[in-house]
Amino acid sequence: NWNGDSEMYVGVYPYSDATTIEKNEKGFRIYTEIPSVQTFAEGSYGENALPMVAVSKDIDFAFKNAGTIIILPLKGETKIVSATLKSEMHNIAGKAIVTANKEDKWIPTIDVTNGGNKVVVDCGDGVELKADEATKFFFVMAPGTYEANDLSIKFTDIQGNDYVFKVPSEHTYKRSNSTTFLEKTFKAQN
């Protein structure tokens, strides 16, 4: 109860048994996660990869994204079995605490201090690249400012070859936004 406000409802997506919600004088702390293993999906991020929260006086929820999305389009003539986004200096996924406070109009902030420094996109039996049209790989991570050369994306193909792209400049990735990098072409580097 905030200064005479009626009881508030909290919605969390995706829901899991590990999700817990604590109420405090400012709002809510929601214990959830940005999955450190996400599933490749054509043209989008994988199911259940992007945590969302909603706080409302009734159950007519307007969910707000807590994470940010990086998109890297990749061309080539091979089959990708995994793609890994890694940070050298920050935790970007895993266990997360989402804070939603009334004074911030219930817009969520996310803290992955106790999480991990990488996101692996599982490509199942492999994603066949095309030579003339890029396939987009989506990674959900914690928003924030990341230094030059901190973030890298490593693609591994079915033959075990790696192609690594390092993000060359500092960038601030905002909550509920996506950042699409210029398309790259897979070239074996090992």
Side-chain angles (χ1 to χ4, degrees):
N1 188 324
W2 292 271
N3 306 327
D5 284 352
S6 59
E7 202 58 40
M8 303 296 278
Y9 294 95
V10 178
V12 180
Y13 177 86
Y15 177 78
S16 83
D17 291 340
T19 301
T20 59
I21 300 169
E22 286 177 1
K23 186 175 174 181
N24 60 39
E25 66 283 347
K26 292 182 174 181
F28 297 95
R29 283 171 67 100
I30 300 143
Y31 296 83
T32 185
E33 72 171 341
I34 294 177
S36 51
V37 177
Q38 300 170 14
T39 307
F40 177 85
E42 189 75 42
S44 185
Y45 52 86
E47 190 175 352
N48 298 331
L50 182 60
M52 296 182 250
V53 298
V55 180
S56 178
K57 287 183 179 180
D58 54 46
I59 53 172
D60 184 19
F61 287 128
F63 281 92
K64 293 178 172 65
N65 298 326
T68 188
I69 302 160
I70 284 182
I71 304 167
L72 186 62
L74 188 66
K75 294 196 294 193
E77 298 184 48
T78 189
K79 190 183 263 194
I80 300 299
V81 291
S82 79
T84 304
L85 171 66
K86 183 179 178 191
S87 167
E88 296 300 324
M89 296 179 251
H90 303 278
N91 286 343
I92 61 172
K95 287 186 179 181
I97 302 170
V98 177
T99 305
N101 293 330
K102 184 175 183 178
E103 65 193 32
D104 300 323
K105 298 181 174 57
W106 306 116
I107 291 171
T109 57
I110 193 161
D111 176 355
V112 291
T113 303
N114 295 320
N117 70 338
K118 61 184 167 184
V119 170
V120 176
V121 173
D122 180 348
C123 299
D125 294 334
V127 174
E128 192 72 52
L129 296 180
K130 300 178 191 90
D132 55 349
E133 181 189 350
T135 300
K136 290 181 177 176
F137 290 81
F138 291 72
F139 304 85
V140 176
M141 70 171 191
T145 299
Y146 294 87
E147 297 81 0
N149 297 310
D150 174 34
L151 293 175
S152 63
I153 301 174
K154 178 175 83 174
F155 294 95
T156 304
D157 76 359
I158 199 142
Q159 284 87 32
N161 298 309
D162 293 334
Y163 169 72
V164 179
F165 165 70
K166 274 191 168 292
V167 179
S169 53
E170 179 178 293
H171 189 78
T172 299
Y173 301 91
K174 293 185 162 88
R175 181 199 68 79
S176 197
N177 278 273
S178 64
T179 302
T180 303
F181 289 103
L182 296 174
E183 68 181 39
K184 304 291 174 201
T185 300
F186 186 97
K187 295 185 272 303
Q189 293 168 318
N190 38 332

